[in-house]
Amino acid sequence: MLPLPFLDRVKYIVERQFVKGALFQLLVVGIGIGLISLIGGLLVWPGSASFDNLGDAIWWAFLRLTDPGYLGDDEGGWRRLVSTVLTVTGYVVFMGTLVAILTRSLIARMTDLERGLTPVTLRHHVVVLGWNSRTVPLIQELLASTGRVRRFLAKHAARRLRLVILSEEVSAEQVLSLRNEREIGRKARDIVLRSGSPLQPEALHRVACLSAAAVIVPSEGTYNPDSVVSSDVETVKALLSMASQAQYLHQPLPYVVAEIEDLRKQAVAERAYPGPLEVISSDAIISRLLVQTLLHPGLSEVCNELLTARHGNDIYVRSGDIAEGDTLAELARSCPDAIILGLLQPRGDGWDVRLNAPSSTCIRDEDRLIILARDYSDTEPQRDKQGQRVVSLAPIERSAASDLPALQSGPEHRLLVLGWNQRVPALLAELARYPEHRFHADLVSIVAPATRETAIRQYLGEDGVVTHRQIEADFAVEEVLRRLSPADYDSILLLSSDRLGSGEEADARTMMGYLQLQEVLADAANPPQVILELSDPDNETLLVTNQSETLVSPMILSHVLAQVALRREVRVVLDELFTPGGAEIMFRPPSDYALPPRPDFTVVERLAGAHGETALGVLRARPDADGAMLELNPERGAALALQPGDLIVVLGRT
């Protein structure tokens, strides 16, 4: 019997060869086949006259080992015994082991291909770094923006939009989820999935970031209080990796749209990436929209139309060359299906946003036009077959300044915030930016008050001007809600938690609290305004099935990321619209404009322009058959049929 250490050493050597891959495994099997053939030849060669030399005997053994058809040709008991043993051994070693190695190698290769480890060879494509709750709505937004995409492709000399998504693990479930989306469907064939982390330089090379026309970095949108690595840290690391890779390869940096959660990290992100970069702060955007909805009840209807992929109107930014030399009034007369909101004028390295600009403002080639329309084609001035401009609307004169007071709720606001997420400090900071309003917020959550207060103080400092009170309670319990007396507040805000495992779980808890709240407020004579924030894009249908004002955060953020990626100037327009000061979307009673009986939208536009404002549409007091209350950019010639309680949606100035 051989010594045990020698056997262990042999097994160790064989094992090390097998783990090196299929080629070395085949080499080991080949050596085994050679040894068996040698042994078989040695067993039948002595005393046999049919073999001229040992090589012929080994060849005889090899043929029996690999092909059982030779078994019937042998004569003699000993030769038949050896031949039978060789044939049986051949089934095990040659056929079984060889096929198993090749099959495993093929399966492993196919698995690697399915995982998306092969680098793409695309140029001028769009890269999305990460698969999370933002990704599918983001893809929907990109594919739905047909007009913007055509301009984007023309700018980069590309024939079609190619999307590449980098995911931690690529699975068939992700491909199926893309194909099952109504807005994506067969277009999923043009979407390439690659496996890897944005933190890995080789993964960034795998999706060809440096050759992309635009790179979008969405945030994870989840919060782990026990982790020291936040989504913002990962975003900054991805920006550093791209910058380092471009410097090493001596290639230009691509245009990047990066989402961060904490607005205070914006300067860090901009310092990490020296190339063209737009930083989108998710906490700041959602907080601005929530506060604006507090000040202008009903604004969520406008936000959900302008800032999601739902059917309706959108804000477009067009180059000034489509109407160079014309005034805004002249352009408006040639765009009957659009509303001219204003323009952007270059100022240094940025833009001067001039919403509600006077109608006499002349358009220059370097300017950018801000237009509200249903489709990109509606923003193009109408022309006849000879290419001449077609004027189809009466002139509307907009004065330089508004002479009507800005309409906002307040100035005293009693606010009940049900739920807690990392956005609450940013929300309080946004409230503090309105010094003419006095907010008193009660914060209700099962999270320890000390933990919440520490987060708020770290964000606002010790001199936070927003009065707030911490209450530890579970708002999903009806008796707890009744003790809070929600009917005594002006507004109630239900926030989706970011501490649960998924958006579905967070929204389920939020909706439970909302239903309990509806039960408590059923007998209230003057119920407060209720604003609901949701985290799961699949809950989009709740926008029209519940009676509160609802914002689905991932859908809004995906829209902003996609539109800023396609048109960089969109970000400064949104900043102007939803920050204090300057232009704001607000609602006016028809009596402010002294409208005649049965006016159409052209009359409303003319009277609003006389007061220095831009009419956008009508907010109905009662929903229509489809549950919609908002009618933006209505047909100009049709009567508006205003009913008691209806409001005019305008772009005014504070």
Side-chain angles (χ1 to χ4, degrees):
M1 183 175 180
L2 294 175
L4 185 60
F6 176 77
L7 291 177
D8 289 342
R9 182 170 181 81
V10 172
K11 288 191 293 183
Y12 173 75
I13 294 174
V14 173
E15 175 202 335
R16 296 310 303 165
Q17 300 306 313
F18 265 83
V19 298
K20 290 181 180 180
L23 182 61
F24 287 92
Q25 293 171 2
L26 292 175
L27 179 62
V28 172
V29 173
I31 293 174
I33 292 173
L35 289 175
I36 296 173
S37 301
L38 175 62
I39 294 172
L42 290 174
L43 290 175
V44 298
W45 179 52
S48 177
S50 58
F51 302 119
D52 295 335
N53 51 53
L54 179 61
D56 290 343
I58 295 174
W59 177 249
W60 174 90
F62 177 76
L63 293 178
R64 271 65 182 169
L65 183 68
T66 57
D67 187 356
Y70 290 100
L71 189 61
D73 297 338
D74 297 318
E75 297 179 355
W78 175 248
R79 182 176 292 189
R80 288 175 178 176
L81 176 62
V82 174
S83 178
T84 302
V85 173
L86 288 173
T87 300
V88 173
T89 306
Y91 272 113
V92 175
V93 177
F94 186 78
M95 297 297 294
T97 306
L98 188 62
V99 171
I101 292 174
L102 293 176
T103 302
R104 284 190 56 187
S105 176
L106 180 60
I107 293 175
R109 177 62 61 183
M110 293 177 63
T111 302
D112 286 342
L113 292 176
E114 291 175 353
R115 289 175 57 197
L117 298 177
T118 306
V120 301
T121 57
L122 300 176
R123 294 182 62 84
H124 307 304
H125 54 293
V126 175
V127 177
V128 180
L129 296 182
W131 181 282
N132 50 50
S133 61
R134 313 272 201 275
T135 306
V136 174
L138 180 59
I139 300 302
Q140 291 175 334
E141 291 282 352
L142 290 170
L143 296 177
S145 304
T146 54
R148 287 194 180 101
V149 167
R150 284 196 299 269
R151 185 205 68 85
F152 180 82
L153 295 177
K155 177 182 177 182
H156 295 282
R159 290 186 297 175
R160 60 174 176 167
L161 181 65
R162 301 300 299 268
L163 299 172
V164 180
I165 304 174
L166 182 66
S167 174
E168 290 281 353
E169 289 293 337
V170 175
S171 65
E173 182 182 354
Q174 294 171 329
V175 177
L176 184 62
S177 66
L178 292 174
R179 291 178 178 173
N180 289 340
E181 290 295 333
R182 184 178 57 224
E183 293 83 358
I184 301 177
R186 293 183 178 180
K187 297 178 181 177
R189 292 177 297 182
D190 293 332
I191 301 174
V192 181
L193 292 171
R194 284 295 175 264
S195 179
S197 170
L199 303 181
Q200 302 168 344
E202 61 272 17
L204 298 179
H205 171 71
R206 194 172 298 147
V207 294
C209 275
L210 299 185
S211 302
V215 179
I216 305 176
V217 190
S219 175
E220 288 291 336
T222 57
Y223 174 68
N224 183 0
D226 299 325
S227 176
V228 296
V229 180
S230 64
S231 297
D232 291 349
V233 173
E234 296 181 353
T235 299
V236 172
K237 173 61 168 60
L239 295 176
L240 287 171
S241 296
M242 275 187 283
S244 175
Q245 194 175 79
Q247 183 179 12
Y248 177 75
L249 298 175
H250 303 287
Q251 294 187 17
L253 288 166
Y255 169 51
V256 175
V257 180
E259 177 191 355
I260 61 173
E261 296 177 353
D262 190 346
L263 181 61
R264 298 172 297 175
K265 302 295 191 303
Q266 179 172 347
V268 177
E270 292 173 347
R271 191 177 301 114
Y273 191 78
L277 172 69
E278 290 292 340
V279 179
I280 306 297
S281 173
S282 57
D283 287 354
I285 288 177
I286 300 303
S287 297
R288 291 167 184 173
L289 296 181
L290 291 174
V291 175
Q292 286 282 309
T293 305
L294 289 173
L295 300 178
H296 304 287
L299 186 65
S300 64
E301 291 281 336
V302 181
C303 295
N304 288 325
E305 178 163 339
L306 297 182
L307 300 180
T308 64
R310 299 169 66 196
H311 298 293
N313 291 268
D314 208 341
I315 297 176
Y316 297 92
V317 178
R318 295 294 306 268
S319 298
D321 56 6
I322 65 172
E324 183 181 4
D326 293 341
T327 64
L328 292 179
E330 292 170 339
L331 174 62
R333 297 181 66 188
S334 303
C335 298
D337 298 321
I339 299 176
I340 310 302
L341 304 180
L343 74 169
L344 301 172
Q345 294 179 331
R347 182 182 61 184
D349 295 333
W351 297 95
D352 182 18
V353 186
R354 299 191 61 194
L355 293 170
N356 276 344
S359 56
S360 59
T361 304
C362 186
I363 302 170
R364 302 172 299 175
D365 178 72
E366 62 268 23
D367 294 338
R368 301 289 184 266
L369 298 166
I370 309 170
I371 305 175
L372 177 70
R374 291 181 181 85
D375 190 77
Y376 190 82
S377 60
D378 295 334
T379 65
E380 191 77 27
Q382 289 188 340
R383 300 182 184 276
D384 57 21
K385 294 181 179 180
Q386 287 73 35
Q388 299 298 317
R389 183 80 63 85
V390 175
V391 177
S392 55
L393 296 178
I396 296 175
E397 299 296 330
R398 185 185 302 115
S399 61
S402 176
D403 56 7
L404 292 175
L407 292 183
Q408 296 178 339
S409 63
E412 288 284 344
H413 301 264
R414 288 205 63 201
L415 176 62
L416 178 63
V417 180
L418 301 178
W420 173 267
N421 57 38
Q422 61 177 351
R423 193 169 293 130
V424 174
L427 175 65
L428 296 180
E430 187 65 24
L431 293 174
R433 299 182 64 187
Y434 294 84
E436 67 277 11
H437 293 265
R438 293 181 294 278
F439 295 94
H440 307 275
D442 287 343
L443 310 178
V444 180
S445 174
I446 58 176
V447 179
T451 301
R452 290 181 275 156
E453 195 62 34
T454 299
I456 292 173
R457 293 302 176 188
Q458 289 177 348
Y459 199 99
L460 295 176
E462 297 296 331
D463 300 325
V465 296
V466 177
T467 303
H468 62 275
R469 180 176 56 147
Q470 302 286 0
I471 300 175
E472 186 173 4
D474 187 357
F475 65 85
V477 180
E478 182 177 344
E479 291 303 319
V480 173
L481 276 177
R482 292 189 182 278
R483 289 196 297 268
L484 294 173
S485 301
D488 296 337
Y489 292 88
D490 301 308
S491 300
I492 300 176
L493 179 59
L494 286 101
L495 298 179
S496 180
S497 174
D498 54 8
R499 293 171 177 255
L500 298 179
S502 64
E504 295 93 333
E505 296 175 0
D507 288 354
R509 175 174 170 79
T510 303
M511 290 304 301
M512 174 64 71
Y514 170 72
L515 295 175
Q516 300 280 16
L517 182 63
Q518 291 296 97
E519 182 70 21
V520 173
L521 296 175
D523 299 328
N526 187 21
Q529 174 194 24
V530 178
I531 305 174
L532 192 64
E533 183 206 8
L534 299 176
S535 295
D536 184 11
D538 292 336
N539 290 324
E540 179 186 5
T541 54
L542 297 177
L543 297 175
V544 294
T545 57
N546 70 75
Q547 300 176 354
S548 69
E549 299 197 56
T550 306
L551 297 174
V552 183
S553 300
M555 292 180 59
I556 292 174
L557 294 169
S558 297
H559 178 91
V560 174
L561 290 170
Q563 301 312 319
V564 173
L566 295 176
R567 189 81 194 208
R568 187 173 183 178
E569 298 89 343
V570 171
R571 187 187 67 82
V572 295
V573 177
L574 297 179
D575 287 347
E576 173 70 13
L577 272 177
F578 299 110
T579 51
E584 283 187 6
I585 298 175
M586 58 185 66
F587 306 96
R588 291 198 179 279
S591 57
D592 280 4
Y593 294 138
L595 296 175
R598 298 184 59 80
D600 58 21
F601 189 62
T602 303
V603 174
V604 176
E605 276 191 308
R606 177 171 54 81
L607 294 176
H611 292 283
E613 298 180 338
T614 303
L616 304 180
V618 179
L619 182 67
R620 305 291 183 180
R622 297 178 179 82
D624 59 16
D626 297 327
M629 302 176 64
L630 181 65
E631 187 179 358
L632 283 182
N633 190 19
E635 185 180 348
R636 282 170 166 78
L640 292 178
L642 296 175
Q643 302 296 323
D646 290 350
L647 298 173
I648 306 298
V649 187
V650 300
L651 182 62
R653 300 193 69 84
T654 57

